[in-house]
């Protein structure tokens, strides 16, 4: 099992347990079955708007596992590096932002592979 697959399973576990989360999606090479040992993991996390306003995003990320480096990029996404240089990209948004999913490029992936949580 790849390190990324263990991290993906951990994020999915956290999403299912996170009551403030309205929806969670993953995308990228793992969704398409094209991932390898150098692939990153990518998630959109949609929180209740009140919960999102009070959310400590970095603390949430720390529950996934050891983070070696973290930065918020120019788009407001958290880019983190886990051990073995596994890169993760996490977008924290509100439930109201979920309509933006419709504007994603067609290559986002099959919805049944992308949906982690949909309340």
């Amino acid at each position: 099992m790849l390190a990324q697959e263990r991290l993906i399973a951990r994020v999915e576990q956290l999403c299912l347990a996170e009551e403030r989360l309205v929806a969670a999606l993953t995308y990228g090479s793992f969704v398409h079955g094209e991932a390898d040992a150098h692939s990153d993991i990518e998630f959109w996390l949609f929180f209740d708007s009140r919960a999102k306003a009070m959310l400590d995003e970095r603390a949430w990320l720390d529950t996934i596992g050891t983070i070696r480096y973290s930065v918020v990029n120019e788009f407001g996404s958290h880019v983190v590096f886990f051990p073995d240089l596994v890169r993760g990209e996490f977008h924290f948004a509100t439930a109201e932002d979920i309509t933006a999913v419709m504007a994603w490029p067609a290559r986002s992936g099959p919805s049944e592979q992308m949906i982690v949580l949909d309340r």
Side-chain angles (χ1 to χ4, degrees):
M1 175 182 274
L2 295 173
Q4 294 92 323
E5 292 171 313
R6 286 190 294 278
L7 288 166
I8 289 168
R10 175 67 179 147
V11 172
E12 290 175 349
Q13 176 187 41
L14 291 168
C15 288
L16 294 173
E18 176 60 72
E19 294 181 9
R20 301 170 295 178
L21 203 54
V22 175
L25 300 172
T26 187
Y27 62 99
S29 57
F30 280 94
V31 168
H32 290 283
E34 300 170 352
D36 62 24
H38 306 288
S39 296
D40 57 356
I41 62 172
E42 302 152 311
F43 289 88
W44 274 88
L45 306 170
F46 298 94
F47 287 83
D48 171 88
S49 57
R50 278 186 263 156
K52 168 71 170 73
M54 299 184 319
L55 183 66
D56 181 340
E57 296 170 355
R58 175 54 198 254
W60 199 95
L61 292 170
D62 284 334
T63 64
I64 298 169
T66 302
I67 293 176
R68 301 279 188 221
Y69 180 76
S70 175
V71 66
V72 177
N73 68 17
E74 68 272 23
F75 304 108
S77 302
H78 289 260
V79 178
V80 299
F81 288 90
F82 298 99
D84 300 323
L85 295 177
V86 173
R87 180 184 175 278
E89 185 171 314
F90 296 85
H91 306 265
F92 290 86
T94 67
E96 290 78 18
D97 297 325
I98 202 164
T99 58
V101 171
M102 293 185 296
W104 287 3
R107 202 154 144 68
S108 293
S111 58
E112 65 276 3
Q113 297 293 331
M114 293 176 63
I115 296 172
V116 174
L117 175 74
D118 183 9
R119 290 192 176 122

